[in-house]
Amino acid sequence: MKKSFLPEEYHSSIHHVLISEQEIQAAVRKTGEQISRTYEGKPLLLVSILKGSFVFLADLCRAVRIPCEIGFMGAKSYTGTVSSGKVEITLDLEQDIRAYHVLIVEDIVDTGITLQQVVKMLKERHPLSLRVISLLDKPKRRIVDWHPDQALFSIPDVFVIGYGLDCEEQYRNLPYIAVYEESSEKSALS
Ligand code: IMP
């Protein structure tokens, strides 16, 4: 791993880099161009689901070459008991979305519970259209029948950190996606 300004112990939890900074940036640029073509001439609202998607959103919106607005939502899912499927909205959108084509920007789809609920809720507000784009998708972990419209990378069932994704609020500032040490140990044992 190249020399970094981050302290050594910060790196000791990183098992390996799964998706490099260059791979992410190339995919984000390409996606920004696609979005620009798809939504040209349309009122576009990019909705970031906090906190994990803030880095992805920041890069993606600058790769979008058409006018757009930004909105933020906070959502927490309580999946301790599998059947609950309850999602708490910790921050709601300011915008009335009836006037917008909404593109939800997410960091990772895991069980699918959070986004399934958020999409259901936002559809009830009658946006002009609603699509979901996720940086990462972990299809093996899905427990509900829901999929994002687009995912930039499909990854195996490992716990990842970096580029906005955290482990106990750390590692969000890494510029790449890495496999967390403990996660790789678990998957090696199972
Ligand atoms: P879901 O409702 O299970 O799809 O939960 C999605 C949320 O779980 C994401 O927005 C992340 O905040 C979190 N999450 C799921 N997998 C990971 C991971 O590998 N690393 C960090 N956060 C994760």
Side-chain angles (χ1 to χ4, degrees):
M1 193 173 299
K2 73 179 174 189
K3 207 162 164 46
S4 161
F5 57 90
L6 293 167
E8 197 51 45
E9 59 272 22
Y10 210 68
H11 284 134
S12 62
S13 298
I14 298 170
H15 191 263
H16 64 278
V17 175
L18 189 65
I19 310 169
S20 72
E21 187 176 356
Q22 291 75 15
E23 285 175 294
I24 296 171
Q25 294 305 332
V28 169
R29 268 196 305 276
K30 196 172 149 199
T31 306
E33 285 161 18
Q34 285 167 355
I35 293 171
S36 308
R37 283 197 297 274
T38 305
Y39 292 95
E40 187 156 22
K42 295 176 179 165
L44 173 62
L45 177 65
L46 300 178
V47 174
S48 163
I49 309 297
L50 296 172
K51 297 180 192 171
S53 72
F54 80 103
V55 179
F56 180 35
L57 173 88
D59 283 346
L60 186 64
C61 74
R62 286 175 294 171
V64 168
R65 301 289 175 201
I66 57 168
C68 66
E69 290 184 35
I70 309 291
F72 293 98
M73 276 188 90
K76 265 189 189 164
S77 67
Y78 293 87
T79 56
T81 56
V82 174
S83 59
S84 77
K86 291 251 165 65
V87 175
E88 186 199 349
I89 301 301
T90 54
L91 174 73
D92 206 347
L93 281 173
E94 291 170 347
Q95 292 90 345
D96 176 348
I97 62 174
R98 283 176 296 185
Y100 294 95
H101 291 273
V102 171
L103 184 57
I104 298 178
V105 178
E106 177 63 311
D107 55 349
I108 185 165
V109 182
D110 188 41
T111 63
I113 288 175
T114 308
L115 260 292
Q116 187 188 46
Q117 294 293 317
V118 168
V119 164
K120 184 170 176 280
M121 198 180 107
L122 292 187
K123 274 190 174 162
E124 285 165 3
R125 298 181 190 178
H126 305 292
L128 295 173
S129 70
L130 180 65
R131 286 173 62 81
V132 176
I133 186 159
S134 181
L135 176 72
L136 307 175
D137 189 8
K138 264 198 253 183
K140 279 204 180 143
R141 292 262 309 160
R142 200 76 85 253
I143 61 171
V144 293
D145 184 18
W146 184 87
H147 301 277
D149 297 291
Q150 190 178 348
L152 276 61
F153 301 96
S154 183
I155 64 167
D157 180 11
V158 286
F159 195 83
V160 289
I161 51 175
Y163 200 72
L165 288 104
D166 74 310
C167 179
E168 296 179 351
E169 293 301 326
Q170 295 290 328
Y171 308 104
R172 293 190 196 275
N173 58 327
L174 295 174
Y176 46 77
I177 299 286
V179 174
Y180 188 64
E181 182 70 47
E182 283 179 20
S183 151
S184 72
E185 276 168 21
K186 266 188 221 146
S187 60
L189 291 171
S190 62

